[in-house]
Amino acid sequence: MIKTKYLARISITQGGKNRMKKCLVLGIVILFVGVSVLPTISGNVKDRGLRQDDERLTNTYVDCDDRYDFGIEDCYDEREDFDIADRYYVNPLPDVNLGDIDTSFFSTSEIAEFTSCAWGLTTADFDDDANTDFAGLYTEPEGFRISIFYNKGNLEFMQDEVHSFSYWHPCLSDLDSGDYDNDGDIDLLFTYSEYIWYNGWAVNVNGTGKILFNNGDNEFENEKQVFWHGPGIPYNPENRINPQLTSADYDMDGDIDFLVGDNSGKVEFYKNDGAANFTSVGIIHDFGHVSWGVTSADYDNDGDIDFLVAAETEIGSFSGHVYLKRNQWIESNFSYCFDLDSGEIIADLPAEADPSGGLWFGTLVSLDYNDDGNKDFFFASGDYAFLYIQKGDIFQPFYVCRFPKGAEGYAESLEHGGVSVGDFNNDGLDDVITGGSQGTIRLFINNYVLIDIVHPEDRWLYVFGEKKFHLKNPGQKIVIGKITVVAEELEPLQKVEFYLDGKLVYTDNEYPYEWIWNRFSFGRHTVTAAAHDADGNYGGEDKITVWKFL
């Protein structure tokens, strides 16, 4: 069925030896693909998100232009008595997710695992030992908890539970840290959504923010409310629920202020008087819908702290942007921080590198990945993560990873939050720590890789340079015939060396960095791109595995 239908699309050129050669290879490839690859692509019907009975397993299949990232409207069945209701069992994303957590940009490891919902993460040196620690807000069967994970060196962490909540809320949203009351120790700022019972359901209606003050020994007992966005109306899209935080000294007066985004799309600015008494300066801008992603840094290198927002443009638009709001404090001669417009669009969502086509808002965190003095950002939405590198006037997306499903089979989710940055191994580079809906804490150690192989793309079959159909599992790349290997730089490079199975095959000394792979190959191969920076220093490497025939 599927094998015959799609392999028939592979074109065989006419003419002498070329035709004979390609037919021979094609026959071998059909055998290889039919035995080992297509079962992985098609799987059984249940793996593809379809509810079918035994009789339909033999008589029916759903045909889609893109068989794994499809929507309901794109699918049809060739049998006349197909039940239209079955379309609603087609998943918009692949049902099988093995994840591809190990990527060239970072080395990853699991630090802790909780019952669920580790959406609040923040980094600081809580014990003043020159090692970066982190705190996490997470769920346990007994309720919500906050723990500090003390970095003891060599990437070993000791967990200390520092606060448990005596009240229950369906959604604790975010966690941030800083010396908000200027007494020399690190306090914790957290947010949650209050709910009411409506028609038998607990419905979030407003967002609340509170500070837990540090008594000097990392004991957090004194709790103070700093904002309440209520009362709210059930299911009103303007409800300011799921509040997300970012804090910094925006007005450069020596104390830490904060910004908050939420479901409504609004971003509000709260100024600190130096003693953790916060006053709202007002709504900076309403970005449309769902401004969950907020992060702060000096993105234009002018000395004051700017911020980014990831927001859906409007309800149901399935598209969004990342906006840069520049701080005007220095330019305005210390009279105001932010004007009321939307700022600059620096990235469109979903990213060009987004394999799902469905990530239009999510979590942002600032970092300088390649240590070039320009701020980049890490973006996570659903179970995907991306690295956006600042290159002049643009922020270029690079695919980082897809998180695997949890032990119970549910997909990871990071769009609510659960990402923070710190130098955990004291090598001068920014690392990343992530949580998510599954409650797994992962550490991403920066590998300082300045190159990324972007073509051939993951999970595609190429026939003589053209994409033919989407493969199922991460890491799969199948190529028939000639292919151009393309490597994208994270910063200006002196050269890129291409290796095939460990042997140097080509050196490209100018951008774009490409190697035309036109030699006869059969089987599994490793392609490596090694970067050398503008000074000739080694800038890391990226590797891909490719099945190539012809």
Side-chain angles (χ1 to χ4, degrees), residues 302-549:
D302 66 349
D304 51 30
I305 303 299
D306 316 302
F307 72 91
L308 304 183
V309 179
E312 187 181 15
T313 51
E314 60 183 65
I315 297 176
S317 67
F318 303 106
S319 65
H321 307 293
V322 177
Y323 300 84
L324 168 62
K325 281 291 295 179
R326 298 179 190 272
N327 194 332
Q328 304 297 319
W329 188 247
I330 292 177
E331 291 83 348
S332 67
N333 195 27
F334 317 113
S335 60
Y336 72 96
C337 290
F338 302 105
D339 57 32
L340 302 181
D341 65 19
S342 64
E344 306 164 36
I345 295 174
I346 60 171
D348 293 324
L349 300 175
E352 291 181 5
D354 168 19
S356 73
L359 311 178
W360 52 87
F361 54 84
T363 301
L364 301 177
V365 65
S366 302
L367 79 166
D368 181 4
Y369 174 83
N370 54 334
D371 197 31
D372 65 351
N374 296 315
K375 286 296 182 181
D376 315 305
F377 65 90
F378 187 96
F379 171 71
S381 182
D383 52 6
Y384 288 93
F386 302 88
L387 185 63
Y388 282 74
I389 300 297
Q390 186 174 175
K391 298 170 70 173
D393 295 330
I394 68 168
F395 287 78
Q396 183 170 352
F398 292 87
Y399 175 78
V400 174
C401 70
R402 186 182 184 194
F403 293 86
K405 287 184 177 180
E408 296 180 352
Y410 297 108
E412 184 62 276
S413 175
L414 285 94
E415 66 260 25
H416 282 279
V419 183
S420 193
V421 166
D423 181 7
F424 292 100
N425 58 352
N426 291 320
D427 65 351
L429 299 174
D430 287 334
D431 310 309
V432 176
I433 194 159
T434 68
S437 62
Q438 299 299 324
T440 302
I441 307 294
R442 292 182 174 91
L443 183 61
F444 287 67
I445 294 297
N446 190 332
N447 286 334
Y448 189 68
V449 172
L450 304 180
I451 198 71
D452 183 38
I453 299 176
V454 297
H455 191 270
E457 295 180 32
D458 198 27
R459 298 169 59 200
W460 279 99
L461 170 82
Y462 290 83
V463 179
F464 305 118
E466 296 184 6
K467 288 181 179 179
K468 286 301 177 182
F469 53 77
H470 210 181
L471 307 176
K472 185 175 185 180
N473 294 324
Q476 289 183 326
K477 302 175 185 67
I478 302 174
V479 172
I480 299 173
K482 181 175 74 174
I483 194 75
T484 299
V485 179
V486 181
E488 185 62 47
E489 61 182 15
L490 274 70
E491 62 180 52
L493 301 176
Q494 185 182 99
K495 65 179 180 179
V496 173
E497 296 172 333
F498 291 93
Y499 293 81
L500 178 62
D501 298 327
K503 296 182 180 180
L504 180 65
V505 291
Y506 186 69
T507 300
D508 199 341
N509 296 299
E510 59 182 30
Y511 185 86
Y513 300 105
E514 301 176 345
W515 166 53
I516 299 176
W517 187 0
N518 198 24
R519 61 181 65 185
F520 179 82
S521 304
F522 188 91
R524 183 179 179 182
H525 301 274
T526 299
V527 178
T528 304
H532 297 265
D533 67 17
D535 296 322
N537 301 313
Y538 176 68
E541 62 185 34
D542 187 25
K543 292 183 179 182
I544 61 172
T545 299
V546 181
W547 285 91
K548 186 175 184 297
F549 306 93

Side-chain angles (χ1 to χ4, degrees), residues 185-203:
D185 49 41
I186 305 299
D187 310 305
L188 296 170
L189 175 62
F190 70 95
T191 64
Y192 60 90
S193 295
E194 289 188 325
Y195 69 94
I196 63 173
W197 288 99
Y198 184 79
N199 291 336
W201 294 91
V203 179

Side-chain angles (χ1 to χ4, degrees), residues 152-173:
K152 311 311 292 183
N154 298 319
L155 301 180
E156 296 181 356
F157 296 86
M158 182 183 73
Q159 180 184 352
D160 180 22
E161 184 180 299
V162 296
H163 190 75
S164 61
F165 294 89
S166 59
Y167 49 90
W168 180 267
H169 289 279
C171 186
L172 271 81
S173 299

